[in-house]
Amino acid sequence: MADTTHVFISYAHQDSIIAHAVRDQLTLLAQNGEGAPSLKCFLDTESIEPGQKFEPVIKASLEEADWLLVVFTGDQSVYCGYEIGMYSILKPHSDRPTNEKPVAWLHDVDKSRLPAVVNGYNTTLISRIANYLPEPPNELTQDARLWWNSSVGKLLRTICESKGLYTPDHRKNDPVQYQVDIAEAASKIASAFEAARQEDEESDTPVQAALELTVFPPFKGTDRKIPGQSALVGSSRAFEILGLNVPHSLTANEAPHVTWGELREALSRPERANIPWMDRLETNICLAAGLKKPQPDDVTFRGSGEDRRIYRAILNHHKLYKNGKRRFYILLVETFDRRFVGDPDTSLLLTALMLASRWRFTFFERWSETLKKYDSSRSDAEFLDECRQLEYNMEWIENEGVELGADDMDAMVKAFGSEHKARVERFYSDFYEAKEKMKRRLPPILESVTQQTRSEVQSAIVEFLTTIKDQNAEFIELCVRTFAQRIGANLD
């Protein structure tokens, strides 16, 4: 019997299916040749007992190994460098073929992705060059010939012939069967590489519009603003919702990206630089960085262009890196369709009543308290907070109206009836005129105020709310009476 062939298989544990396939196919070849006892394969999971020190066992196995086979699919074994280093010491290079140091890398990734430790060693690229062979193959088909001549087929022949483990002499009566056996083993090993890849990501397609914000140091939890140069990467869908056309970088293979400052500049309106949903998101990001509870993500915004849907920006994840970099993950989540089911006219009347009541409950029911929010008794910081809250509340109510279909003036006129057409149209025009008049009088960004600007802001807000208050009571009465008529209720 020829000398025993010792094969040491180095592999990452997630590639164990490949390591076992290599061992199994070499064992089958040995059985067809000198016999199974003439082959010894070392796999750490089977050859090292629990609680046993691994280094002495590995060293002893490497010392008697004739071949070191390294399996690589993208993740290197924890001990790969140690095993190759130890093997190179125990099996030094020599000009004599019998003392050569045979190390073979079996990999299915491009050679450029192999670790530096592979330099100078033989590599065997594994790929599906033909159909996998049926079991058992019994003839040298065209597919079998391809596997016989494949790189893994050639490696198997070299290993088997190095100590006479399995050679054509073992198949003198049927030389074709020798080729078929090698081809089958090569096919099985390549198939194992493919099987090991079943858990690999084939694609990564977000089902929701998402943004990823990277903020670089020295940003801390005490900061109140996100630096404008912070990088914002997003899906194409996210930027479409925001109305930005941000192309992919084909040369750098990068996702669409802008800076936080560029996004704010792109979304700013001529009359106002504040963007309520971004302001709330910024506040929550700063709170998250300081490990504080975020505010409710109840500030909504309307999709850009033809996208009339309403979204919320939800901060759902925060990562802090050792170098001080922070990464925040944001979802742009569409709100639920909240329109009432039933007759559209009656439903819109109820919607109008609800929205008008929302304005009353938020601003006018406790009118004196509302006015106090903007008077001289409040500090500058409290005054600015109330101004921002006013914007949040207005955006919320207006976007709620969009969700419920109240932004369609023609439909609303139809719901109230032609006899109220002029009044409904005037309600819309008066509201938007009063809102734009107020915003024209406000400073572009409410970050700080002087005594003069504070007085101007207070006057603009109070004038706007007073105008809306006078119309609100009248409109609620119109909603109630029209709705009662439609459902046949008697209010007298």
Side-chain angles (χ1 to χ4, degrees):
M1 180 177 289
D3 293 337
T4 301
T5 299
H6 293 269
V7 178
F8 188 108
I9 304 174
S10 176
Y11 62 100
H13 281 187
Q14 60 265 37
D15 295 327
S16 61
I17 186 174
I18 301 172
H20 283 81
V22 172
R23 187 272 314 275
D24 293 344
Q25 295 309 310
L26 284 173
T27 300
L28 288 173
L29 294 175
Q31 290 173 347
N32 292 328
E34 289 299 305
S38 61
L39 173 72
K40 298 294 183 184
C41 287
F42 178 90
L43 281 74
D44 60 356
T45 54
E46 296 180 354
S47 304
I48 302 177
E49 298 294 333
Q52 188 177 18
K53 289 186 176 181
F54 67 89
E55 289 187 2
V57 178
I58 289 177
K59 181 179 178 181
S61 298
L62 288 170
E63 192 167 22
E64 66 177 357
D66 299 300
W67 287 86
L68 173 59
L69 302 184
V70 183
V71 174
F72 185 81
T73 61
D75 293 313
Q76 188 174 322
S77 165
V78 176
Y79 303 111
C80 180
Y82 168 81
E83 291 163 351
I84 291 178
M86 181 63 66
Y87 188 66
S88 64
I89 295 173
L90 297 172
K91 299 282 186 178
H93 283 290
S94 173
D95 294 333
R96 293 177 297 171
T98 55
N99 289 332
E100 283 184 354
K101 180 186 63 173
V103 179
W105 284 72
L106 284 73
H107 60 97
D108 63 351
V109 298
D110 187 83
K111 195 170 182 178
S112 62
R113 290 183 56 193
L114 296 176
V117 70
V118 75
N119 293 338
Y121 292 106
N122 179 37
T123 66
T124 300
L125 178 62
I126 308 296
S127 62
R128 183 173 182 174
I129 61 170
N131 295 321
Y132 295 131
L133 300 181
E135 191 173 348
N138 52 18
E139 57 181 332
L140 195 60
T141 62
Q142 181 60 34
D143 287 336
R145 289 181 187 276
L146 290 172
W147 286 114
W148 159 261
N149 288 310
S150 66
S151 58
V152 65
K154 293 175 181 177
L155 175 63
L156 291 172
R157 279 143 54 189
T158 302
I159 294 173
C160 289
E161 292 172 3
S162 63
K163 282 192 172 183
L165 183 68
Y166 183 42
T167 69
D169 289 340
H170 293 103
R171 292 288 191 180
K172 288 181 179 179
N173 295 330
D174 189 2
V176 171
Q177 188 60 48
Y178 173 74
Q179 293 178 286
V180 170
D181 291 342
I182 294 293
E184 180 183 13
S187 171
K188 289 290 196 300
I189 291 172
S191 176
F193 268 85
E194 186 173 309
R197 290 290 193 175
Q198 294 305 302
E199 288 296 317
D200 287 6
E201 286 186 2
E202 186 169 314
S203 64
D204 184 3
T205 305
V207 296
Q208 290 180 315
L211 297 169
E212 181 182 298
L213 178 69
T214 302
V215 185
F216 302 96
F219 181 77
K220 299 179 181 178
T222 54
D223 291 314
R224 298 189 65 182
K225 290 292 180 183
I226 296 172
Q229 70 274 20
S230 301
L232 193 67
V233 178
S235 63
S236 297
R237 175 62 183 141
F239 286 120
E240 286 174 6
I241 290 172
L242 299 176
L244 274 67
N245 181 18
V246 184
H248 286 267
S249 174
L250 298 178
T251 55
N253 194 28
E254 294 178 341
H257 63 280
V258 295
T259 66
W260 180 259
E262 288 171 341
L263 177 64
R264 184 176 283 281
E265 182 178 356
L267 299 184
S268 296
R269 293 162 293 183
E271 73 280 5
R272 292 292 281 142
N274 293 326
I275 305 168
W277 74 267
M278 282 190 72
D279 296 340
R280 175 58 61 86
L281 180 60
E282 185 167 44
T283 296
N284 282 339
I285 286 173
C286 292
L287 289 171
L291 302 179
K292 297 178 181 177
K293 182 179 179 180
Q295 297 179 4
D297 45 29
D298 55 358
V299 181
T300 58
F301 67 94
R302 190 182 309 185
S304 179
E306 296 181 358
D307 187 348
R308 304 290 293 174
R309 289 168 290 190
I310 305 300
Y311 296 88
R312 285 183 171 86
I314 298 177
L315 177 64
N316 75 327
H317 202 57
H318 166 217
K319 288 183 180 179
L320 172 62
Y321 297 84
K322 289 186 177 181
N323 62 2
K325 179 179 71 176
R326 297 176 185 271
R327 187 160 286 157
F328 301 90
Y329 298 87
I330 303 151
L331 295 178
L332 303 184
V333 180
E334 183 183 351
T335 59
F336 294 113
D337 187 347
R338 298 175 55 196
R339 287 173 294 185
F340 296 109
V341 178
D343 181 81
D345 292 343
T346 309
S347 298
L348 276 178
L349 288 173
L350 183 58
T351 294
L353 176 59
M354 186 182 73
L355 293 174
S357 300
R358 184 84 74 191
W359 275 92
R360 175 179 172 79
F361 300 152
T362 305
F363 300 109
F364 311 136
E365 196 167 47
R366 296 180 177 86
W367 180 237
S368 60
E369 294 180 13
T370 297
L371 295 179
K372 286 181 182 178
K373 293 178 180 179
Y374 308 101
D375 66 20
S376 58
S377 65
R378 312 302 296 271
S379 67
D380 285 348
E382 291 173 330
F383 177 76
L384 288 173
D385 286 344
E386 292 298 343
C387 291
R388 293 192 186 94
Q389 190 62 48
L390 172 65
E391 279 198 306
Y392 292 156
N393 290 339
M394 288 176 62
E395 288 273 339
W396 171 42
I397 296 174
E398 287 186 57
N399 288 336
E400 185 180 35
V402 175
E403 294 178 81
L404 294 169
D407 60 324
D408 187 341
M409 185 175 66
D410 293 337
M412 194 67 77
V413 167
K414 181 176 181 296
F416 276 90
S418 58
E419 67 273 21
H420 299 299
K421 182 176 186 296
R423 180 63 191 93
V424 173
E425 290 177 343
R426 182 164 61 85
F427 171 78
Y428 277 88
S429 61
D430 286 355
F431 172 78
Y432 287 114
E433 181 180 338
K435 186 178 74 168
E436 294 306 315
K437 181 180 178 181
M438 175 190 70
K439 292 197 171 185
R440 284 195 299 268
R441 295 173 61 188
L442 299 181
I445 300 179
L446 285 172
E447 291 186 352
S448 61
V449 291
T450 63
Q451 184 174 0
Q452 180 181 353
T453 57
R454 174 166 173 169
S455 176
E456 292 173 354
V457 170
Q458 177 191 10
S459 176
I461 291 175
V462 171
E463 181 180 326
F464 164 74
L465 290 176
T466 300
T467 301
I468 302 303
K469 176 178 178 292
D470 293 342
Q471 289 208 28
N472 181 257
E474 179 186 344
F475 194 71
I476 287 178
E477 182 180 357
L478 177 62
C479 291
V480 170
R481 291 199 171 276
T482 308
F483 184 72
Q485 290 172 2
R486 287 297 178 90
I487 64 174
N490 186 359
L491 297 180
D492 298 328

